[in-house]
């Protein structure tokens, strides 16, 4: 039994006759009749009854039709899967990574993608969140690993991978004695060192301040969290950075305060441009990132 026989049989049923099936399949009508007769010989029963007004299914045809459709659908799925796999064996994937972000799970996702699609050329670009978002929107990056506020930036489709606390880093001499936390209103007594507008941490800060009726005083904008920490250690203000970055700082130079009332939390998201079909490599990277998250 051949798929072509099943295809012709289903086309006759759907078209209501051999002439319509031949036109749909773009073959000569005798060829359709030949394939259907071969199928009937294979199953040992007539599947179609020829009438002056067209064709109708016999009892055997009624029984065979859903299985014929299922077989054709399975064959189409095989072709689609192989075509998608072929797409993963060539081409390129351009990935954006937030400056000074933690290496895991990003490195693990890249490793898994490389094992899955060794022929795809990988490019990793580091930048601040705002620059990465612009690059995804204009098509110069396929996906980006960014920090955002509570929502997903306009024009992008996002997949939340994690949430991380945002903490304040101050020079050792500027720390309140015996304090490990600070209310947001008290933190704003210090000049702030934080990313430019468009970055995830800046969005979190501004939304929290707006909800509390407060106005932040940003003294220095620094795209890199590591640079923000150095500026804070030098006495230029309180740097807002991810808690993971602040974990190993030298207490002789600077200290860390958790922000409370409200706590500040930023989302880590994988984003791609909304409204456009994703290439096979992008879909596979997206799947691996979701699994790792």
């Amino acid at each position: 039994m051949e798929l072509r026989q099943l295809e012709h049989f289903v086309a006759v049923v759907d078209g209501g006759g051999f002439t319509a099936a031949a036109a749909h399949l773009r073959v000569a009508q005798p060829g359709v009749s030949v394939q259907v007769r071969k199928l009937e010989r294979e199953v040992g029963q007539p599947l179609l009854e020829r009438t002056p007004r067209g064709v109708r299914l016999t009892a055997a045809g009624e029984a065979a039709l859903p299985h014929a459709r299922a077989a054709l659908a399975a064959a189409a799925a095989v072709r689609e899967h192989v075509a998608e796999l072929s797409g993963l064996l060539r081409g390129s994937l351009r990935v954006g990574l937030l400056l000074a972000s933690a290496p895991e799970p990003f490195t693990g996702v890249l490793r898994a993608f490389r094992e899955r699609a060794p022929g795809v050329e990988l490019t990793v670009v580091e930048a601040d969140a705002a620059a990465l978002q612009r690059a995804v929107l204009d098509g110069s990056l396929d996906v980006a690993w960014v920090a955002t506020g509570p929502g997903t930036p306009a024009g992008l489709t996002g997949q939340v991978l994690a949430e991380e606390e945002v903490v304040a880093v101050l020079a050792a001499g500027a720390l309140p004695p015996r304090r490990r936390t600070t209310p947001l209103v008290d933190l704003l007594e210090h000049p702030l060192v934080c990313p430019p507008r468009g970055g995830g941490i800046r969005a979190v800060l501004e939304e929290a301040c707006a909800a509390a009726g407060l106005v932040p005083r940003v003294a220095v904008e620094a795209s890199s969290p590591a640079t923000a920490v150095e500026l804070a250690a030098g006495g230029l203000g309180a740097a807002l950075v991810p808690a993971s970055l602040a974990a190993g700082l030298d207490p002789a130079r600077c200290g860390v305060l958790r922000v409370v009332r409200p706590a500040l939390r930023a989302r880590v998201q994988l984003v791609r441009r909304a409204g456009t079909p994703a290439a096979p490599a992008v879909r596979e990277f997206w799947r691996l990132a979701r699994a790792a998250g």
Side-chain angles (χ1 to χ4, degrees):
M1 188 179 300
E2 299 178 0
L3 285 174
R4 182 169 55 174
Q5 296 168 4
L6 299 175
E7 182 182 27
H8 284 61
F9 166 57
V10 171
V12 172
V13 174
D14 289 345
F18 288 84
T19 301
H24 173 72
L25 296 170
R26 297 183 180 180
V27 298
Q29 182 175 327
V32 178
S33 298
V34 167
Q35 295 301 323
V36 172
R37 281 198 299 270
K38 286 182 178 179
L39 179 60
E40 289 175 325
R41 285 197 297 271
E42 287 267 4
V43 300
Q45 295 282 341
L47 302 175
L48 298 168
E49 182 181 348
R50 284 76 169 171
T51 72
R53 301 179 64 179
V55 296
R56 66 186 179 195
L57 288 164
T58 65
E62 292 276 6
L65 182 61
H67 298 288
R69 292 193 190 279
L72 292 174
V78 169
R79 286 192 293 268
E80 182 179 345
H81 183 75
V82 170
E84 183 160 314
L85 181 61
S86 298
L88 289 175
L89 298 178
R90 59 182 180 272
S92 63
L93 181 68
R94 301 159 299 174
V95 183
L97 176 62
L98 194 65
L99 284 166
S101 60
E104 290 293 345
F106 181 78
T107 303
V109 173
L110 282 181
R111 187 185 308 113
F113 182 83
R114 170 59 68 212
E115 293 171 357
R116 174 78 172 132
V120 173
E121 180 183 349
L122 269 174
T123 302
V124 178
V125 175
E126 283 191 292
D128 63 85
L132 292 175
Q133 292 171 30
R134 288 193 299 269
V136 173
L137 286 171
D138 68 25
S140 55
L141 286 177
D142 298 305
V143 295
W145 200 286
V146 299
T148 72
T152 300
L156 299 175
T157 294
Q159 176 175 275
V160 178
L161 304 176
E163 288 192 355
E164 184 168 11
E165 185 177 14
V166 177
V167 298
V169 176
L170 292 91
L175 283 172
R178 294 181 297 280
R179 289 273 295 276
R180 294 293 179 267
T181 64
T182 179
L184 178 62
V185 64
D186 291 351
L187 177 66
L188 296 186
E189 295 177 1
H190 300 271
L192 300 179
V193 181
C194 62
R197 282 192 169 90
I201 289 177
R202 182 67 171 265
V204 168
L205 170 68
E206 292 184 342
E207 288 180 22
C209 288
L214 303 171
V215 178
R217 179 165 53 102
V218 177
V220 183
E221 292 184 339
S223 297
S224 165
T227 300
V229 167
E230 287 300 314
L231 294 173
L236 292 177
L240 292 175
V241 299
S244 59
L245 180 72
L249 297 179
D250 180 2
R253 300 185 64 228
C254 52
V256 178
L257 292 175
R258 294 185 61 230
V259 183
V260 296
R261 299 197 300 274
L264 302 181
R265 299 189 68 84
R267 282 182 168 181
V268 178
Q269 293 194 60
L270 186 66
V271 298
R272 60 181 176 85
R273 188 163 52 176
T276 58
V282 173
R283 290 199 299 273
E284 182 63 14
F285 189 87
W286 198 267
R287 183 188 70 79
L288 292 170
R290 182 173 62 246

